[in-house]
Amino acid sequence: MTKYELIATTPMGLEAILSRELKALGYEEQLVENGRVTFYGTEKDICIANMWLRTAGRILVKMGEFEALTFDDLFEGTKALDWPNWIPLDGEFPVDGRSHKSQLSSVPACQGIVKKAIVEKMKERYDIEWFQETGPRYVAEVTLLNDIATLTLDTTGSGLHKRGYRVDTTEAPLRESLAAAMILLSRWRPERPLYDPFCGSGTILIEAALIGLNIAPGLHRRYNSEDWPNLPPELWEEAREEAFDLMREDTPMNIVGTDIDADAIKAALANVRNAGLSKEIKLNVIPVADIRPDGDYGCMITNPPYGERIGTASEVDLLTKQLGNAAKQLRNWSHFIITPDKTFETRFGRKADKKRKLFNGQIECTYYQYFGPLPPR
């Protein structure tokens, strides 16, 4: 098989976690940049990366990179790339685009030029004038940064955070990839209790259970590139079979979620059932002031409601104080809380051991990390 330059995209702030995930899968040669990690792999690795990466957004094939100061540069540079090696005669190839700090700032104009250049290249290979585009979907993207054009093909389709288990959501659901990142940044292990007192639709709980059972997050969904001739069905079947073999189905876990909102718990129950994790996750309607998590050396990982999202400022103030009081009772526990509230530590009643900037959608948040003692060996 051929080795390709591949790009795993990720939200800002998660690059180091994504890099660690890739290394755990065996991809040592990497380039970590803002919002993406470049690595190298074969057609089979495209399947594996799509299926296993918890904090990635998409897996892209890097077609080429060149300086583009003019539309002629962009056209000729794009046309020089081997698009027909990937896109068949009947392939559908829409073009997305982004531009930042570059001479070519009109994204629609750049998209049009790239589309035209790909068509001209395809004409040369297939010797026809018109492409019906009725076959598999190949989304090309042109990204211009500091006058350097990077051309890619998206192997993923719908973003990797869409695992397929979410059938019901609360008003402000946490993205699955961010929930996974929060768990991977914590000290949680399957043998430790995990508790989310503002569990909403259950995303943190489900992502933790998937990690604890070593279930590939993308095991039960489809990808655009499953229809590509370059990635035949047997490659996907192999990757899925290997993922099934790596599951640790009998791992005992104590994962509990509560919420004051009965509708949120109803949504969480539906999602947990859909993920096949009813045995691993327990859910109850309980206000944060009344929580009493079982077990020692546990991890509380949560995304409490906040003013920009839901709840008034006074409600948020009270909830944060109640959360702080509950945390004080859990002497050997660790606590991990994501919120945009800059005064969180004051209300919670304690300075964080570590803070990290993360984004929940477009909202800039801080991930407050309070490390309790590790369980005795």
Side-chain angles (χ1 to χ4, degrees):
M1 289 188 190
T2 311
K3 271 220 168 183
Y4 300 99
E5 199 169 347
L6 305 173
I7 297 169
T9 67
T10 192
M12 295 282 278
L14 303 187
E15 298 90 349
I17 309 156
L18 175 57
S19 170
R20 204 184 310 152
E21 279 198 88
L22 281 161
K23 281 180 181 165
L25 289 172
Y27 306 108
E28 291 290 339
E29 191 182 350
Q30 298 179 7
L31 174 63
V32 181
E33 298 173 281
N34 282 342
R36 66 186 195 177
V37 180
T38 300
F39 65 108
Y40 300 87
T42 64
E43 291 89 346
K44 173 78 176 288
D45 295 309
I46 292 171
C47 306
I48 291 168
N50 270 301
M51 217 167 281
W52 277 100
L53 292 173
R54 299 179 193 278
T55 59
R58 296 178 190 283
I59 307 301
L60 313 174
V61 178
K62 186 173 175 181
M63 298 297 293
E65 196 167 78
F66 50 86
E67 187 176 56
L69 297 168
T70 67
F71 286 128
D72 277 347
D73 293 341
L74 183 59
F75 180 87
E76 294 301 335
T78 302
K79 187 168 179 268
L81 304 175
D82 194 2
W83 299 98
N85 181 49
W86 287 93
I87 306 173
L89 179 64
D90 65 343
E92 179 193 0
F93 49 101
V95 178
D96 287 344
R98 287 182 291 166
S99 179
H100 186 61
K101 295 182 181 175
S102 296
Q103 302 278 333
L104 303 179
S105 57
S106 169
V107 172
C110 292
Q111 287 171 269
I113 294 287
V114 166
K115 179 76 175 186
K116 188 178 173 187
I118 297 173
V119 167
E120 289 305 313
K121 184 71 171 191
M122 299 278 282
K123 280 183 184 179
E124 286 179 4
R125 177 72 57 92
Y126 296 115
D127 198 26
I128 61 169
E129 286 299 308
W130 181 257
F131 295 91
Q132 297 287 341
E133 299 197 43
T134 54
R137 187 171 169 83
Y138 295 78
V139 180
E141 184 176 68
V142 53
T143 303
L144 288 144
L145 176 63
N146 298 322
D147 297 319
I148 300 297
T150 304
L151 278 294
T152 58
L153 280 177
D154 175 17
T155 73
T156 302
S158 182
L160 286 175
H161 69 280
K162 294 184 178 175
R163 321 289 205 214
Y165 62 71
R166 201 137 80 175
V167 289
D168 207 349
T169 62
T170 49
E171 188 178 337
L174 190 70
R175 188 167 274 202
E176 295 89 330
S177 49
L178 179 57
M182 288 166 64
I183 295 153
L184 293 171
L185 283 167
S186 77
R187 291 175 172 181
W188 182 75
R189 296 290 178 272
E191 58 273 14
R192 300 179 70 177
L194 187 146
Y195 193 94
D196 181 356
F198 302 105
C199 73
S201 55
T203 309
I204 290 172
L205 310 171
I206 293 169
E207 290 297 319
L210 293 176
I211 290 167
L213 298 172
N214 202 40
I215 295 174
L219 186 56
H220 300 293
R221 55 158 284 170
R222 273 190 62 78
Y223 306 90
N224 273 0
S225 52
E226 286 193 62
D227 299 320
W228 296 6
N230 294 49
L231 278 75
E234 52 267 28
L235 284 185
W236 291 98
E237 284 164 23
E238 268 180 47
R240 284 195 170 95
E241 280 172 19
E242 286 166 12
F244 275 113
D245 289 343
L246 289 166
M247 283 185 194
R248 297 190 291 262
E249 291 184 275
D250 296 326
T251 306
M253 289 184 290
N254 176 2
I255 298 177
V256 179
T258 56
D259 203 291
I260 196 172
D261 183 352
D263 287 336
I265 292 298
K266 191 177 166 187
L269 279 166
N271 293 334
V272 165
R273 270 196 301 270
N274 199 43
L277 297 168
S278 299
K279 187 163 69 91
E280 285 74 23
I281 297 170
K282 295 179 180 66
L283 295 157
N284 282 299
V285 179
I286 302 176
V288 68
D290 296 339
I291 64 168
R292 299 288 183 274
D294 289 332
D296 217 353
Y297 302 99
C299 290
M300 184 191 286
I301 306 177
T302 194
N303 171 37
Y306 40 82
E308 290 173 58
R309 203 172 58 125
I310 40 180
T312 64
S314 58
E315 286 171 335
V316 171
D317 184 43
L318 177 61
L319 285 176
T320 308
K321 285 174 179 170
Q322 289 173 338
L323 182 66
N325 289 335
K328 279 177 196 161
Q329 308 307 312
L330 300 166
R331 295 188 183 280
N332 290 325
W333 279 54
S334 299
H335 308 281
F336 304 90
I337 302 112
I338 190 168
T339 175
D341 181 5
K342 302 291 184 198
T343 63
F344 173 81
E345 289 165 300
T346 305
R347 300 178 193 198
F348 187 71
R350 188 172 147 202
K351 282 270 187 197
D353 297 313
K354 195 172 181 182
K355 292 186 277 193
R356 190 182 192 113
K357 185 161 77 172
L358 296 174
F359 286 86
N360 187 6
Q362 298 301 309
I363 302 169
E364 183 183 316
C365 297
T366 302
Y367 191 40
Y368 294 94
Q369 299 167 72
Y370 298 86
F371 299 111
L374 289 170
R377 291 185 175 230

